[in-house]
Amino acid sequence: MRDCLNHRVGFDRVLMTVAATFLTVSASSALAQDQARSSAAELAIEAAIPRPEPANVPPPTAADIKLDTTATVQDSVKDAARDSAKADVAPAPDKVETKPSDVATTPAPEAPKSETAKTEPAKADTATATPAAPAAPAAEPVKAASNVPAADQPVADRLKDMIGAKTSRHFDRKNERAAVEKFYGARDFAPVWTQGGSLTAAAKGVIARLKDAASDGLNPADYPVPDFAAATTPDALADAELKLTAGMFDYARHAQSGRMHWSQVSGDILYPEHPVDPGEVLAKVTTAADASAALDSYNPPHKLYKELKAKLAELRGQGSGPVIEIADGPALKYTPAGKKQAEIVVEDPRVPQLRAKLGLAENASDTRYDAAVAEAVRKFQSGAEMKPTGILDDKTVKALNTPKRDKQIDVVLVNMERWRWLPRDLGAPSLGDAYVILNIPDFTLKVMQRGQQVWTTRVVTGKPGSHATPLLTETMKYITVNPTWNVPPSIVYNEYLPALQQDPTVLQRMGLRLEQNRDGSVHISQPPGEANALGRIRFNFPNKFLVYQHDTPDKHLFARDERAFSHGCMRVQNPDQYASVLLNIAMPGEKYTPERVRSMYGKSEIDLKFPTPIPVNITYQTAFVDDAGKLQFRKDVYGRDATMINILKNNRGKDLEAVVAHSQPSYSRPATTLPSGVAVANNGSGFGSSGPNFFERLFGASTPAAPPAPVGRRPQRVFTR
């Protein structure tokens, strides 16, 4: 027992000795660390190490505490402290980037050479990292490279914001928004209409053109010019910039394509679309030497359009020349020579003034009321919606002296509008810009080449209403000599089949051939010959309206002043001459003559195809300038003027450029029960189905597809004809 106690007392003494030793070593170690830290070099190293922010971590546990085995030797403690300090300095450059303020405010006290040598790499690393520390100013060189003048930078910043977030406020068309974003983005959103708050030359040109829009038959109210003088802030200048750009887009679009889409007027109009490219407008106008002229170039380039523009200025009192008044007097009448009487030509001192008023430059001082004067009076009366007698009576004198100027201005405006619908190039460049142009209200057809009239003739056009001749641009691809008349379905079902109910032999007596297919559908045709309804020649320009130009056996209607009598097709007065003119344009080496064309007349169809198609433009010109420079007016036979004037005056705010969808023509032939006694050519043994449709029988091609929706224009409600 005693031995155990003795051993325990000895063990206790050992524990006490160990504890005392541990306390002594710990105190010595702490003292050694304090001495090491008292070194100036150590302080510099410690200062160079950024202090981390206090972390929200749990307190250390027993497992985190490690025994300090260096406590028994104080010299080694000092060396270990220095080694530890050097090891801690190594990652300093990475941390310097996140806390540059520590580096900037840390003093660099002197240190012994030996210590300085040890810390030199840390200093070098710190100096290298310091310039890269500020990240934000690094964007400055990119901004300077944009070349936006300092005075315009605030406006550019606002433009960037507006275009990015509020573009729809200024531009409601997707293609215009895209063009604006691309154009201004490429120039770092620098304004193009102002520099340093002052208008550029391009802006002045655009503003001048917008303010003068009325001279081109447009409404200046549609293109409001922003008040740049009142725009004194970056916000106001940026807003004015975009408003002027939007006004320029509207003007270019209206000048080129019209204020209203042609489908707003009628379902029987079809012209090719030629929308403007907003990006091209921006590039062209802003880089042009004359921005006003560049913007004006979107108006029609045609001679007849420019002549109407000049006459519009005269009607508005902006033209030159004295006002001519015709004095009252006896009625003047010209009587042509007849079988039993000679020509009667009266003289009157008022005739020279009448010649000047009517634009008759030839024999200007002649006092005779001859055939030329009487014809000019007749045309004036027709255009003024008077009875075209050719007699100068009191009513005609009054109309000549007091024209309905406002109405005439309206008529000129809508005619200028219709010119915007037409293609910019009316002709075929490879044929010397040759083309055919037919004016429905004037009942005339002209062949043009190299800007000159080659040939002209009278025509008969469609009746007003459902048989109106459509307005279109197509290409004539071939001529058919001795054509078969394939009766249009509308005539078959609306006229001929009802007639058969009254007289089963009527078609046979008319020389028409009726075929009925096994499905009950009916086709009626007339074989080639002298009595054929199409005459001897048909001029083919395939189109969805199924109209064409042709000869006729009934020539007497060409003597009428108003010649709207057909079902929509156009009858030509001198088809053999017309054919030879076109063939010589298309095939100049063949040397066609009217006699050669007539020599082909017979019982079999002959197709003469053009190597290059010739454009055909069917127009509606109720106001035009004739070869003598006189403004002529024609009767609004289809009411197109009245419709357009009403739309322009009473539909403000409506999107007149939107496309109105109309019903498409149908080529189907429903089954029909024929009355007894009707002669059927094929005795019901024809096609099992309805066979080739009318378009295919007529033009030998597949049915034309519906025209695609124009770019940038929205379809609207459906109208039916």
Side-chain angles (χ1 to χ4, degrees), residues 53 129 139 187 189 227 333 409-410 433 488 493 552 563 626 712:
E53 297 294 331
R187 49 188 290 116
F189 298 94
D227 187 357
K333 179 181 179 181
I409 289 174
D410 288 340
D433 290 321
Y493 288 93
T552 176
R563 298 184 288 277
D626 62 17

Side-chain angles (χ1 to χ4, degrees), residues 13-345:
R13 286 176 180 173
V14 171
L15 288 176
M16 291 175 64
T17 302
V18 172
T21 303
F22 181 80
L23 292 172
T24 302
V25 171
S26 299
S28 300
S29 176
L31 179 61
Q33 288 180 4
D34 289 340
Q35 289 174 349
R37 288 178 181 176
S38 65
S39 167
E42 295 299 324
L43 289 173
I45 292 171
E46 183 177 309
I49 300 174
R51 301 290 180 181
E53 297 294 331
N56 186 18
V57 296
T61 63
D64 297 320
I65 300 176
K66 295 181 180 180
L67 182 63
D68 187 0
T69 57
T70 65
T72 55
V73 183
Q74 294 187 9
D75 289 340
S76 62
V77 170
K78 183 183 287 187
D79 293 337
R82 288 176 181 174
D83 292 339
S84 176
K86 286 192 286 184
D88 290 341
V89 170
D94 293 336
K95 294 181 180 283
V96 168
E97 292 184 22
T98 62
K99 267 218 147 150
S101 58
D102 291 343
V103 179
T105 58
T106 301
E110 294 181 1
K113 290 182 180 180
S114 59
E115 299 295 327
T116 305
K118 292 179 183 179
T119 59
E120 197 64 31
K123 283 185 179 181
D125 290 346
T126 303
T128 302
T130 301
E140 289 299 327
V142 177
K143 206 167 192 178
S146 69
N147 295 323
V148 178
D152 292 330
Q153 190 60 56
V155 181
D157 293 339
R158 293 303 301 129
L159 280 173
K160 184 176 182 180
D161 293 341
M162 289 181 178
I163 292 172
K166 300 179 181 178
T167 309
S168 59
R169 200 179 98 198
H170 299 89
F171 310 97
D172 59 357
R173 286 172 170 79
K174 185 177 180 180
N175 62 340
E176 292 180 356
R177 290 197 296 270
V180 166
E181 290 171 3
K182 182 178 180 181
F183 176 81
Y184 282 96
R187 49 188 290 116
D188 294 315
F189 298 94
V192 71
W193 306 128
T194 60
Q195 287 184 354
S198 299
L199 288 174
T200 61
K204 293 176 181 177
V206 170
I207 291 172
R209 176 54 50 192
L210 297 186
K211 289 184 174 180
D212 193 39
S215 68
D216 275 300
L218 302 174
N219 186 356
D222 291 336
Y223 325 104
V225 176
D227 187 357
F228 281 92
T232 57
T233 65
D235 273 317
L237 283 170
D239 184 66
E241 174 89 12
L242 295 181
K243 283 181 177 177
L244 185 59
T245 301
M248 178 186 68
F249 282 161
D250 289 342
Y251 180 95
R253 198 175 59 252
H254 291 173
Q256 177 149 309
S257 299
R259 285 178 286 175
M260 73 176 75
H261 191 262
W262 38 259
S263 64
Q264 296 271 346
V265 180
S266 175
D268 52 14
I269 303 175
L270 182 61
Y271 286 121
E273 298 284 342
H274 44 268
V276 296
D277 177 356
E280 190 267 345
V281 174
L282 268 170
K284 179 177 180 178
V285 175
T286 57
T287 59
D290 187 341
S292 178
L295 191 53
D296 179 52
S297 68
Y298 290 98
N299 284 295
H302 313 113
K303 176 187 175 185
L304 290 176
Y305 170 84
K306 294 179 179 180
E307 290 174 342
L308 278 181
K309 178 179 177 179
K311 293 301 180 182
L312 176 64
E314 292 181 14
L315 288 173
R316 286 172 168 166
Q318 302 168 2
S320 58
V323 177
I324 301 173
E325 293 284 339
I326 307 299
D328 292 333
L332 302 181
K333 179 181 179 181
Y334 166 77
T335 303
K339 293 182 179 180
K340 297 182 179 180
Q341 65 176 20
E343 178 186 39
I344 301 176
V345 179

Side-chain angles (χ1 to χ4, degrees), residues 361-640:
E362 188 176 357
N363 301 322
S365 60
D366 194 339
T367 60
R368 295 179 303 157
Y369 192 82
D370 56 17
V373 179
E375 179 62 22
V377 169
R378 184 180 292 107
K379 287 184 177 180
F380 170 80
Q381 291 168 331
S382 178
E385 298 185 10
M386 302 169 62
K387 186 176 181 180
T389 62
I391 300 173
L392 183 70
D393 51 19
D394 292 341
K395 186 178 180 180
T396 304
V397 169
K398 184 178 180 181
L400 284 165
N401 290 335
T402 57
K404 299 176 181 178
R405 193 165 294 267
D406 290 342
K407 182 177 180 180
Q408 289 180 335
I409 289 174
D410 288 340
V411 171
V412 169
L413 289 177
V414 294
N415 275 272
M416 293 174 71
E417 182 78 1
R418 285 193 289 267
W419 272 106
R420 304 183 196 281
W421 301 343
L422 287 165
R424 288 300 181 262
D425 294 323
L426 297 177
S430 61
L431 299 177
D433 290 321
Y435 63 90
V436 175
I437 186 165
L438 186 147
N439 183 6
I440 294 172
D442 194 44
F443 307 105
T444 56
L445 177 152
K446 296 180 180 180
V447 179
M448 306 292 292
Q449 189 177 34
R450 299 182 180 86
Q452 302 296 320
Q453 177 179 304
V454 176
W455 185 80
T456 185
T457 191
R458 291 187 165 202
V459 295
V460 172
T461 61
K463 303 172 187 176
S466 60
H467 295 303
T469 296
L471 308 184
L472 56 84
T473 288
E474 273 296 348
T475 55
M476 188 182 298
K477 298 174 174 60
Y478 64 102
I479 293 172
T480 300
V481 182
N482 308 316
T484 295
W485 181 38
N486 294 289
V487 183
S490 60
I491 299 178
V492 170
Y493 288 93
N494 296 331
E495 299 182 26
Y496 285 174
L497 292 184
L500 283 175
Q501 301 296 329
Q502 303 296 323
D503 181 358
T505 65
V506 64
L507 298 184
Q508 191 174 9
R509 289 188 288 104
M510 293 174 62
L512 299 177
R513 174 187 174 93
L514 186 148
E515 300 171 80
Q516 186 170 31
N517 299 306
R518 288 194 294 271
D519 63 359
S521 62
V522 171
H523 174 70
I524 299 176
S525 62
Q526 185 180 28
E530 188 176 356
N532 187 284
L534 305 186
R536 288 294 191 175
I537 307 175
R538 186 181 68 215
F539 303 87
N540 306 288
F541 41 97
N543 59 87
K544 75 169 191 175
F545 300 109
L546 306 178
V547 297
Y548 41 86
Q549 296 165 355
H550 62 87
D551 182 18
T552 176
D554 299 321
K555 305 289 188 180
H556 66 279
L557 293 177
F558 292 110
R560 303 276 190 95
D561 289 317
E562 292 186 17
R563 298 184 288 277
F565 299 109
S566 78
H567 282 79
C569 290
M570 295 138 277
R571 306 171 191 171
V572 181
Q573 184 175 20
N574 299 299
D576 52 349
Q577 296 178 28
Y578 185 31
S580 66
V581 169
L582 295 176
L583 289 167
N584 284 325
I585 289 175
M587 298 177 283
E590 295 295 326
K591 302 186 184 307
Y592 276 93
T593 63
E595 292 75 20
R596 181 180 175 184
V597 172
R598 290 195 297 272
S599 69
M600 301 179 189
Y601 292 173
K603 298 289 186 180
S604 301
E605 287 192 345
I606 301 173
D607 287 339
L608 302 175
K609 297 183 179 181
F610 298 162
T612 300
I614 299 176
V616 176
N617 303 282
I618 312 299
T619 68
Y620 194 84
Q621 303 172 53
T622 55
F624 60 93
V625 178
D626 62 17
D627 295 338
K630 174 66 179 176
L631 178 61
Q632 298 286 345
F633 291 96
R634 294 293 180 265
K635 184 179 179 180
D636 185 17
V637 290
Y638 294 164
R640 302 288 183 253

